[in-house]
Each structure stands twice: as C-alpha cells, then as structure tokens.
Amino acid sequence: MKGDEKYSLIRNIAVTFAATGGTSFRYADLTGADFTQATLKNTDLRNTILICTHWHQAKMLDRVRPGLTYLQNSQVRQLLVTGQGQDKNFDRQNLRGINLKKANLADTSFIGADLSEANLQDADLSRAKLKQIQLDGTDLTGVTLTGAYIEDWGITNTTKLHGVRCEYVYMRVPTKENPDPLRKPDNNKEVFADGDFADFIKPIFDTLDLYHNQGVDPRAVAIAFKNLAENHPEAELEIVAMEKRGDDKILLRAKTAAGSDKSQLSTEYFDDYNQLKALSQSQQLLLVEKDKRIISLENMVDTALKQPKFYTQGDTNMSNISGINIEGSSNVSGIAGNNSVANLGTISGNVSIALTQLPDSPDAEKPGIKELLSQLQDAIIQSTYLPEEEKAEALEQVKTLAEAGKNPQESTKQKTAKTAITMLKGIFTGLPAVASLVEAGNKLLPAIAKLFGLG
C-alpha cells in the first residue's frame, strides 16, 4: 500500500477487492465536482469524466479504483492532493481536463503532455518545459510563465491567456550547446510589460503548418503560397513564422481565420507545390514575372535555408510582404504588413551601420562595394517617385548586400547578393524612365554584381 512498483499487481488486486461495495461513480460526469478534503477510500472512479475536478487535500486518493483516468499515476495523484509539483516530470502524460489551479509547477517538465481543457488558473509555470504540450481549451488565466520553454506548444484560439504573468520566455528547450535558446524579448535587458505576452503570442493561436522535408524549392514555395492565399481569401492567410529544421527542411507557419479547414488548405498547397517543383526554372520564371510579393517570399525562404536559426513573427499578409530585415543574430524581423510601414530612418541607420563594417576601396578612383552601396542608399532615400513602403524594402536589400559584401566571393553570399539585386531591379522596374533612381540603378547594380563575381 506504500506504492512500491514491485508489488503493483498485488496492490491493484487489493484495491479492486476493497472497492467492491464501496461508493461507485463509474460512468459519472464529475466535471467541476469538488472532492476537497473528501475521504475517497474504496471509491470506484472507472470511466468517469474528470474535467476540472477538485482533489485538493483529498484523503486516501491512492485507494481509489482509477481505471484509465489520470488518477492511475501516483505522481499525478500526489500533485492533485498537495498542489506541489515543482521540478517533477510529467512528460507525455495524458492530463486532459486536470485541475491544477494555483499549483506550484515551477521547473516542471510537461514535454509532449496533453493538458487540453485543463484549469491552470494562477499556477506557477516558471521555467517549465512546455515543448509540444497540447493546450486546446486550457485556462491559463493569471498563470506565471516567466522563463518557460514553449517550443512548438499547441495553443489555439480557445486557450485563455488573460492576465498571464510573464517577463520573458524561450522559444526552444535548452541544450548544453545553447543554454539560452531564442529568448523573447530578444534583448536580455528587456521584459514583457503587463499584457504584452498575450499580444506577442496571439498570431500563432491557430496556424497552418506547412512542413517541407527535403529538397526545398524556395520559388515553388512562394508561388504555391501566393496561389493558396488568392484562392482562399476567406482563410486570411498570414505568415507568422519560418524555421529551418535540419539541413534541408523548413517549416512555414501561417495564421488562418477561425474555422478554416487546415487539412484541405495543406493538401491543396502541397499538390500545387509539388507540381511547381517539377517545372523547370524558366517555366517558374514565367509564372513569377515581376511579382514582387513572390520574389520577397522566395527571398525569405532562401534566407531561412541558409541560416542556422530562423524565426519570424509578425502580421505578414501575403498581399503585401515587404521590409525583410536579416539581422546578425540570424533572426528575421521587421516584416511589414498592410498596417505597418517600416521606419525609414531606423532602416537607413541599420544600412549605414552595416556599411561601416565593409573595408574602404583601396583605389580612390575605383569605388568598391562599400562606396557603390552608399551611393545606392542615397539614391533610394532621395527618390521622389518611390513610395515609403518600397523605399523600406529597397533599403533592406541594400543592407542584405552590405552583409554579403563581407565575403563577396563566398558562394552562399553570392547567391544572397544575386537575389537582393533581382529584388532591387523588380522594385525599380515600375518607376518612370526619367527617375534619377532608375539611372542610378542601371549604373550601380551591374557594378555591384560584378564585384560579387556575378557578371
């Protein structure tokens, strides 16, 4: 009766025998029932519905006949009775509907566990490992999440996040190589203000996850996603995350409207993607033409495949992707959607910082990458024909070229530069022939390409 696993069979037989004639709740719906301080010796709870049932300080909960409910786990029973689960391991446990209100769950591991429809109000989940945890319909009102690890957690638009207390979270579970993985906010000196966490996490409540597991074709991804967004405007598809997984795998995550059939959307996307992937490069180019939305997304996917880590979160609508900002941390941010125009002063300042890291040309009569990009930056800022949104996008491409210019003969940098130059040409294409930026582009872009060994 002390719970020694060596005698579990004998114990189960004893409990079964003792429960005969005891109180039976078999097949009962005990949703919200309160057994606080109740004595439950010899109680039959097989096949009961135990959603948000209260067990705090219940006596002899270890003598019940639990069937296949979460009460069959001795560690779970102890947690329910005491409310103390700090530093415990509940990985891959089925805890659906469990009531852990105000429980101490700091440093606890719930990797792969199902806590859907559970009550976690005001619980302390500081530094808890919540990787791949299912939280559909879970009440997290007032929960403390500071320092929690939320890699691939399964929140939905029914997860309650009102009043969450959280100063910072990690988007990955720590490893020996990376004990501080993808902290949000990125600046270690910053913390979320009250209410900020819910706003930060809101875009990934209900997402369509498009996982590409081999030989990713960035252009086919871009065209297929654009087609899907145009064919299903009611789905309101918005890219919120893009992550590299392994050497040649990538996850494209898109927010969808409530009620969207994600299975149908995924099937349609991959049918289209696989057909596009089979086309030749020239056939794909005919589909792209001068569509800057496709070029922008293609560049994002291509960049993601080159980076060791890539995470972007924002309100990125396919109807207007712009302002890609590749930072030294390998994070991608600043994706400007319909309601967000990047701050040109900030972007231009970032470009200037990137340019200062390039060497000056040794020949004053022969400008190098640094000098040519500086001229291009000035021409973009001074253009009277280019809208602010496109100025922001053009400046981001100049910054990308500046980053690549540190190693202009490296093949991956050359590929990045080629994409950036192509995007700049696309931006300049729609300008009047008399525009000074067109003249500057026609002069500077070929010279920049030549210094990258592209022609």
Side-chain angles (χ1 to χ4, degrees), residues 269-280:
Y269 169 83
F270 279 109
D271 285 345
D272 194 18
Y273 170 74
N274 289 326
Q275 291 180 29
L276 290 163
K277 191 176 175 182
L279 297 177
S280 66

Side-chain angles (χ1 to χ4, degrees), residues 375-390:
Q375 294 177 39
L376 185 58
Q377 177 189 15
D378 292 340
I380 291 169
I381 293 171
Q382 295 169 13
S383 174
T384 57
Y385 290 95
L386 203 61
E388 282 196 350
E389 258 183 12
E390 294 191 358

Side-chain angles (χ1 to χ4, degrees), residues 292-300 321 324 393 423:
K292 286 182 286 184
R293 295 170 299 175
I294 291 179
I295 295 173
S296 293
L297 181 53
E298 179 186 351
N299 189 40
M300 288 168 64
I321 297 176
I324 302 172
E393 183 176 355
M423 291 189 67

Side-chain angles (χ1 to χ4, degrees), residues 328-399:
S329 64
S330 296
N331 289 345
V332 175
S333 60
I335 311 283
N338 283 339
N339 301 318
S340 174
V341 178
N343 184 296
L344 287 177
T346 301
I347 296 174
S348 183
N350 290 336
V351 174
S352 298
I353 292 171
L355 289 174
T356 60
Q357 298 174 12
L358 295 176
D360 295 327
S361 172
D363 186 351
E365 301 296 322
K366 191 176 181 181
I369 293 177
K370 179 178 182 179
E371 290 76 16
L372 292 175
L373 290 178
S374 295
Q375 294 177 39
L376 185 58
Q377 177 189 15
D378 292 340
I380 291 169
I381 293 171
Q382 295 169 13
S383 174
T384 57
Y385 290 95
L386 203 61
E388 282 196 350
E389 258 183 12
E390 294 191 358
K391 277 188 180 182
E393 183 176 355
L395 287 171
E396 294 293 358
Q397 301 313 314
V398 174
K399 183 174 180 290

Side-chain angles (χ1 to χ4, degrees), residues 3-233:
D4 192 323
E5 289 300 321
K6 290 190 295 182
Y7 306 109
S8 60
L9 179 60
I10 296 174
R11 179 187 180 282
N12 291 339
I13 293 172
V15 169
T16 300
F17 180 78
T20 302
T23 302
S24 175
F25 289 103
R26 194 173 185 186
Y27 299 111
D29 183 351
L30 297 177
T31 298
D34 191 349
F35 289 99
T36 300
Q37 296 186 334
T39 300
L40 297 167
K41 182 181 179 181
N42 304 339
T43 304
D44 189 347
L45 293 168
R46 289 176 295 165
N47 303 108
T48 50
I49 298 174
L50 300 178
I51 297 176
C52 295
T53 309
H54 300 255
W55 307 101
H56 187 57
Q57 295 183 349
K59 300 175 180 64
M60 297 188 178
L61 192 59
D62 61 328
R63 308 291 177 91
V64 303
R65 196 170 182 185
L68 298 178
T69 67
Y70 52 69
L71 295 175
Q72 64 184 314
N73 186 304
S74 60
Q75 189 169 250
V76 172
R77 292 195 301 268
Q78 185 72 12
L79 168 62
L80 289 166
V81 172
T82 65
Q84 298 298 316
Q86 184 167 5
D87 210 23
K88 302 294 184 182
N89 187 311
F90 298 98
D91 291 353
R92 287 166 285 282
Q93 291 289 321
N94 183 358
L95 304 175
R96 193 177 188 90
I98 199 168
N99 191 332
L100 296 174
K101 185 176 181 180
K102 296 185 178 179
N104 178 8
L105 303 171
D107 302 293
T108 302
S109 182
F110 287 104
I111 295 174
D114 186 356
L115 277 141
S116 298
E117 301 181 55
N119 183 353
L120 293 170
Q121 290 181 33
D122 299 311
D124 185 357
L125 283 163
S126 302
R127 302 172 301 281
K129 294 182 176 67
L130 307 180
K131 178 180 179 180
Q132 296 174 347
I133 189 174
Q134 297 304 308
L135 296 168
D136 183 29
T138 305
D139 191 346
L140 296 175
T141 301
V143 75
T144 300
L145 282 176
T146 298
Y149 303 89
I150 61 173
E151 178 178 351
D152 294 334
W153 70 343
I155 59 173
T156 71
N157 55 7
T158 62
T159 307
K160 297 178 182 178
L161 292 164
H162 178 71
V164 169
R165 301 179 182 93
C166 181
E167 294 183 357
Y168 57 91
V169 291
Y170 297 97
M171 306 304 293
R172 291 287 182 273
V173 171
T175 62
K176 289 182 180 179
E177 295 76 21
N178 188 7
D180 190 28
L182 273 181
R183 181 191 188 274
K184 298 294 176 181
D186 295 297
N187 188 337
N188 289 336
K189 296 180 181 179
E190 292 181 359
V191 296
F192 290 119
D194 289 344
D196 279 0
F197 177 77
D199 292 336
F200 161 75
I201 212 69
K202 185 177 180 180
I204 59 176
F205 275 1
D206 197 6
T207 60
L208 171 67
D209 292 349
L210 303 171
Y211 181 63
H212 305 73
N213 59 9
Q214 60 182 355
V216 182
D217 185 331
R219 184 173 294 146
V221 169
I223 299 172
F225 189 82
K226 173 179 175 289
N227 291 344
L228 188 68
E230 290 181 345
N231 293 337
H232 295 277

